């Protein structure tokens, strides 16, 4: 396989251009140090880009309040931008040769970290020697934002998958959450049909043209779209075939309904039109925005694939980390802010957990009594200790540099399969698409 990335050729030219224009950054950019002036005029204000008001934005705003209590002059501006738009803005800033449009701090999807830092190194600040103690985070989480032995991100949330259900709807159909614990996808479809028939509510919703459910299924069996060397591994991938067939069966049964955008997705279960969801545990924050449904939800593990060796009930979806851009005019302030909140405050994680469901990957927070408290919204379940248990059983995830391109190709494939195309031919087309993008 050709290891040379075509996109890097463009980036090399851009680095030369940026250097000629006097842009700050590049591989020789100074790391976070004790000199605020090294990154421009010092300021007591930080700007942040992130998404999801009930989760990421809420957590960042709470972090700002905690930090401001000891730093009265501190200002924080949090700007809501969907993740795909953040990626577009980042790419546009680099390709235009003008990094001044970037926020000081950006939230980045963990699965996008490797490719972005390799492709756009000049846009990010190396924080390896910043004073942040990265050993206090889960090692697998930290690894997403370590490139060539350098730390570029402050780990944030845990993306362990949960299956959450409306217990009142299940009861109406004659079920309890125990009936959906440790089950297969075939059993899920069978019971989901019964729920649909008796209540008129599907069990699951997801975004049309997206591959989230497929990727959760795939990882739950320890499988990937790439091999250990990063080569595409889709054709003759029996687990991927099984996943695609299972998704098609979900859709055709009516147990799964597809929606058009994120707001519609969240609204499908907060409005009560759908009886549950399966996603990363960060979705619990959105579920809890429907306060009138308190006590009517329960959490358990996800279904497992049938007939697949190594299939489990555990997976991961999402997870993200904070980075400091090379446009930040006061790197010391950004580091100190993150170090006293996301990277150093159990109090912070205790504060945001009940409302947001933001489980930490900051290890000291995991020992807090708050994580073992029963949650009224979820019928008194100790959901956070339960999710921590799930996290320890989740198979590893081999993402590869072209993870998102592969996801997109699989999303196109499953859309075509739903429309009648064969699973095998669409998987072959998806692999050909990725090989072309990789320059093979």
């Amino acid at each position: 396989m050709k290891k040379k990335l075509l996109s890097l050729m463009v980036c090399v030219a851009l680095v030369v251009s940026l250097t000629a224009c006097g842009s700050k950054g590049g591989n020789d950019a100074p790391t976070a140090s004790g000199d605020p002036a090294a990154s421009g005029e010092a300021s007591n204000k930080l700007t942040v880009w992130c998404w999801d008001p009930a989760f990421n934005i809420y957590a960042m705003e709470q972090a700002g309040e905690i930090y401001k209590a000891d730093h009265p002059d501190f200002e924080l501006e949090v700007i809501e931008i969907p993740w795909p738009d953040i990626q577009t803005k980042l790419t546009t800033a680099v390709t235009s040769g003008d990094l001044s449009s970037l926020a000081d701090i950006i939230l980045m999807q963990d699965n996008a970290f490797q490719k972005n830092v390799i492709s756009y190194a000049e846009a990010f600040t190396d924080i390896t020697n910043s004073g942040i103690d990265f050993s206090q985070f889960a090692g697998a989480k930290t690894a997403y934002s370590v490139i060539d032995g350098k730390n570029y991100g402050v780990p944030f949330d845990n993306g362990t998958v949960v299956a959450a259900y409306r217990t009142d709807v299940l009861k109406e159909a004659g079920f309890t959450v125990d009936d959906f614990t440790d089950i297969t996808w075939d059993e899920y479809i069978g019971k989901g049909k019964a729920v649909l028939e008796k209540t008129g509510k599907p069990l699951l919703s997801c975004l049309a043209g997206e591959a989230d459910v497929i990727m959760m299924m795939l990882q739950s069996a320890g499988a990937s779209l790439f091999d250990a060397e990063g080569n595409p591994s889709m054709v003759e991938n029996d687990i991927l075939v099984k996943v695609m067939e299972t998704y098609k069966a979900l859709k055709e049964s009516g147990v799964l309904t597809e929606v058009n955008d994120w707001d519609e997705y969240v609204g499908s279960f907060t409005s009560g039109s759908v009886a549950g969801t399966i996603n990363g545990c960060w979705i619990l924050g959105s579920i809890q925005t429907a306060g009138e449904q308190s006590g009517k939800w329960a959490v358990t593990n996800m279904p497992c694939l049938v007939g697949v060796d190594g299939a489990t009930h555990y997976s991961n979806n999402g997870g993200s980390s904070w980075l400091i851009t090379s446009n930040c005019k006061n790197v010391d302030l950004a580091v100190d802010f993150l170090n006293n909140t996301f990277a150093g405050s159990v109090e912070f994680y205790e504060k945001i957990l009940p409302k947001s469901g933001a489980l930490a990957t900051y290890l000291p927070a995991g020992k807090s009594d708050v994580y073992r408290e029963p949650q009224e919204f979820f019928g008194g379940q100790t959901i956070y200790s339960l999710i921590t248990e799930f996290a320890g059983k989740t198979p590893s995830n081999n993402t590869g540099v072209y993870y998102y391109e592969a996801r997109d190709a699989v999303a196109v494939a499953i859309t075509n399969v739903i429309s009648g195309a064969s699973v095998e031919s669409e998987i072959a087309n998806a692999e050909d698409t990725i090989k072309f993008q990789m320059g093979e």
Side-chain angles (χ1 to χ4, degrees):
M1 185 193 89
K2 289 185 179 180
K3 298 293 184 182
K4 188 173 182 180
L5 307 180
L6 295 178
S7 62
L8 294 182
M9 296 174 64
V10 178
C11 291
V12 169
L14 288 170
V15 171
V16 174
S17 174
L18 289 169
T19 303
C21 294
S23 294
K24 176 183 176 292
N27 292 329
D28 295 326
T31 59
S33 65
D35 182 12
S39 55
E41 181 182 352
S43 170
N44 64 352
K45 179 179 179 179
L46 295 174
T47 57
V48 179
W49 288 351
C50 60
W51 61 94
D52 194 343
F55 192 82
N56 300 314
I57 293 175
Y58 170 76
M60 178 54 74
E61 289 177 341
Q62 294 302 307
E65 289 184 10
I66 287 176
Y67 191 74
K68 189 175 180 65
D70 294 325
H71 304 80
D73 294 334
F74 176 69
E75 296 181 45
L76 184 70
E77 182 183 7
V78 183
I79 303 169
E80 179 182 1
I81 302 179
W83 161 246
D85 294 344
I86 289 179
Q87 181 66 74
T88 299
K89 286 177 176 291
L90 173 61
T91 302
T92 300
V94 176
T95 56
S96 69
D98 182 9
L99 302 181
S100 65
S101 62
L102 299 178
D104 298 308
I105 296 173
I106 292 176
L107 187 64
M108 181 171 286
Q109 294 272 18
D110 287 333
N111 290 320
F113 237 105
Q114 185 178 10
K115 182 175 184 179
N116 275 307
V117 174
I118 289 173
S119 301
Y120 309 134
E122 67 273 27
F124 311 118
T125 300
D126 171 4
I127 56 175
T128 309
N129 300 315
S130 64
I132 293 173
D133 186 357
F134 294 99
S135 71
Q136 295 300 301
F137 293 92
K141 174 72 172 184
T142 304
Y144 282 113
S145 54
V146 175
I147 293 87
D148 294 333
K150 298 178 180 179
N151 294 88
Y152 288 90
V154 173
F156 177 33
D157 61 311
N158 185 329
T160 301
V161 168
V162 295
Y165 300 94
R166 280 283 298 272
T167 54
D168 56 332
V169 177
L170 296 187
K171 183 178 180 180
E172 184 181 347
F175 297 113
T176 70
V177 70
D178 290 341
D179 294 312
F180 287 86
T181 300
D182 296 334
I183 63 172
T184 67
W185 279 106
D186 286 358
E187 291 173 316
Y188 180 90
I189 291 173
K191 293 176 181 180
K193 286 181 179 179
V195 173
L196 183 62
E197 179 181 351
K198 294 179 180 178
T199 71
K201 300 179 188 295
L203 278 181
L204 184 63
S205 58
C206 70
L207 271 67
E210 295 284 352
D212 282 354
V213 174
I214 288 173
M215 298 307 295
M216 285 186 278
M217 289 182 182
L218 198 64
Q219 186 182 353
S220 73
S224 174
L225 301 176
F226 300 92
D227 63 20
E229 287 72 43
N231 303 303
S233 180
M234 302 181 195
V235 174
E236 298 183 358
N237 184 331
D238 292 339
I239 299 178
L240 178 59
V241 171
K242 184 64 177 179
V243 166
M244 301 276 273
E245 291 175 343
T246 302
Y247 185 97
K248 181 180 180 182
L250 280 165
K251 181 67 171 62
E252 291 178 343
S253 70
V255 172
L256 166 68
T257 182
E258 294 181 331
V259 298
N260 296 317
D261 56 40
W262 180 259
D263 288 342
E264 189 177 351
Y265 165 65
V266 172
S268 68
F269 51 79
T270 57
S271 69
S273 61
V274 172
T277 192
I278 297 175
N279 218 323
C281 57
W282 40 262
I283 200 63
L284 299 180
S286 295
I287 290 174
Q288 291 177 86
T289 61
E292 72 282 359
Q293 296 175 12
S294 180
K296 298 179 180 180
W297 283 87
V299 168
T300 189
N301 54 19
M302 67 180 287
C304 71
L305 293 167
V306 178
V308 174
D309 290 340
T312 75
H313 296 280
Y314 311 99
S315 190
N316 191 84
N317 188 39
S320 51
S321 300
W322 303 101
L323 62 86
I324 301 172
T325 74
S326 57
N327 184 50
C328 181
K329 299 301 186 293
N330 192 342
V331 171
D332 279 354
L333 176 64
V335 166
D336 194 59
F337 166 63
L338 293 172
N339 205 8
N340 282 279
T341 51
F342 293 92
S345 174
V346 172
E347 174 196 356
F348 163 68
Y349 285 106
E350 288 179 336
K351 183 177 182 180
I352 67 171
L353 179 62
K355 183 174 180 179
S356 70
L359 275 171
T361 51
Y362 180 61
L363 298 177
K367 300 175 183 178
S368 168
D369 289 340
V370 173
Y371 275 60
R372 295 190 290 271
E373 291 180 357
Q375 298 301 311
E376 180 181 353
F377 193 96
F378 295 93
Q381 281 185 299
T382 55
I383 61 171
Y384 301 121
S385 60
L386 186 64
I387 294 168
T388 301
E389 177 187 335
F390 292 173
K393 298 178 180 179
T394 299
S396 60
N397 184 22
N398 177 22
T399 60
V401 174
Y402 281 82
Y403 176 80
Y404 279 100
E405 288 82 354
R407 280 177 55 108
D408 290 345
V410 168
V412 171
I414 193 60
T415 299
N416 293 336
V417 167
I418 294 297
S419 298
S422 77
V423 170
E424 289 78 9
S425 66
E426 288 303 316
I427 288 175
N429 290 338
E431 183 166 302
D432 287 343
T433 298
I434 298 308
K435 285 182 177 180
F436 176 79
Q437 292 178 330
M438 296 176 73
E440 291 193 1

